[in-house]
Amino acid sequence: MKTFKKELKALKKQLSEPKRQTNQARLRTASDINAEEETFSFTDAMQGVTPLSQDKVEPDKQVELFKKSQQVKGKHLKHSKQLAASFDFSDMYQAALPQEGPMRFCQEGESTHILKQLRRGDYSPEMTLDLHGLTREMAKAELAALIHTARKELIDCVCVMHGFGQGVLKAALPHYLVQHPHVRAFHQAPLEYGGQAALLVLVDIPLQNNKR
C-alpha cells in the first residue's frame, strides 16, 4: 500500500513538471518583453522620421503683415495719383497774351470760334476751382489736379476763380494755363460764372469721348 502511494506521488510530480516549466517560460518571456520595452525609447521610435516644416503664421503676425502690405500699397497708389496730377508750371514763362479786351487764349490748331462760345457761355463749367487765399505754389498744384481730374471724369469745361485781391494770381494764372498741353482754350468768364474774377477753361479730354 505504501509502495502504491509513493508511485502515485511520483507520477503526479512528473505530470506537473512540464506545466511548471511552461509557466516559468511564460514568465521569462514577459520579463524579457518588459525589459525590452523599458530600453526602447521615444528617440529610437522616431529614427528615420523627417520632421514637418512649420508653415503657420501666428494670428498677430499675420495681421501685422497684412497691414504692412496695405500701407505699402496705399503709398504706391498715392504716389501714382500725385504723379498723374502733377505738372511743373514755370513762373518764368511769359506767354504772348492780349493786352486789351478780356483775357483769352486759343491753342494753335483750335478754331477761334470756341473763344466766342466761351464768352457767350455756350460751355457750362462742371467743376469750379477757387484759388482765393492760395500761394502761387499751392495754386499751381491745385490747377494741375483740376485738369487731371477733369480729363479723368471726361469734363471738358471748368471754371477757375482767381479773384481780384492784389492781382498776383490773376496775372499768373493765364501764363500757367498756356503751358499745359491739355488746355485747348480759356476766356474771361461770363458774369454768371465770375466775370473778371474767373476764367472758363476748355480742357482736351480723351479723343474717344471728346465732346467737340
Side-chain angles (χ1 to χ4, degrees):
M1 189 67 179
K2 291 181 180 180
T3 304
F4 176 75
K5 288 182 178 181
K6 288 181 180 180
E7 292 177 354
L8 183 59
K9 286 181 180 180
L11 182 59
K12 287 181 177 181
K13 187 176 181 181
Q14 289 178 356
L15 292 174
S16 62
E17 184 65 22
K19 186 176 181 180
R20 184 177 63 82
Q21 291 178 352
T22 301
N23 290 336
Q24 289 178 349
R26 287 178 179 174
L27 289 174
R28 284 197 301 271
T29 303
S31 299
D32 293 341
I33 292 173
N34 289 335
E36 290 177 1
E37 288 180 350
E38 289 177 359
T39 57
F40 188 74
S41 64
F42 178 78
T43 303
D44 296 329
M46 291 296 101
Q47 285 184 357
V49 177
T50 303
L52 291 174
S53 58
Q54 177 59 265
D55 59 352
K56 294 183 180 179
V57 179
E58 296 179 8
D60 292 342
K61 291 184 178 180
Q62 201 167 26
V63 172
E64 185 179 344
L65 289 173
F66 176 76
K67 287 182 178 179
K68 187 174 181 180
S69 65
Q70 291 298 102
Q71 289 175 354
V72 172
K73 183 179 179 181
K75 288 180 180 178
H76 288 168
L77 183 60
K78 183 178 180 181
H79 182 61
S80 298
K81 288 183 177 179
Q82 289 174 343
L83 289 177
S86 65
F87 182 83
D88 188 18
F89 293 104
S90 172
D91 287 310
M92 303 300 294
Y93 181 82
Q94 295 293 312
L97 296 171
Q99 300 298 316
E100 297 180 359
M103 179 56 63
R104 60 199 181 275
F105 166 78
C106 184
Q107 191 71 259
E108 186 178 351
E110 294 284 350
S111 171
T112 55
H113 181 65
I114 59 177
L115 292 177
K116 295 180 181 180
Q117 291 177 305
L118 288 170
R119 176 171 53 84
R120 292 197 304 252
D122 292 349
Y123 286 94
S124 299
E126 298 180 57
M127 295 179 67
T128 299
L129 173 63
D130 191 346
L131 300 179
H132 283 88
L134 301 185
T135 64
R136 285 193 178 192
E137 293 304 314
M138 294 169 63
K140 287 190 285 187
E142 292 295 326
L143 186 60
L146 172 70
I147 297 173
H148 169 72
T149 303
R151 284 176 53 79
K152 183 178 179 182
E153 299 296 329
L154 304 181
I155 295 173
D156 64 351
C157 185
V158 297
C159 178
V160 182
M161 301 185 68
H162 49 70
F164 294 102
Q166 297 179 355
V168 176
L169 287 180
K170 181 179 181 179
L173 181 60
H175 299 283
Y176 293 158
L177 290 171
V178 169
Q179 298 175 48
H180 204 290
H182 296 307
V183 171
R184 297 174 58 197
F186 60 81
H187 196 285
Q188 177 182 302
L191 289 177
E192 61 267 34
Y193 299 126
Q196 296 182 22
L199 292 176
L200 281 191
V201 182
L202 201 59
V203 180
D204 182 20
I205 59 178
L207 184 60
Q208 61 269 30
N209 294 292
N210 210 313
K211 298 179 182 178
R212 297 185 204 182

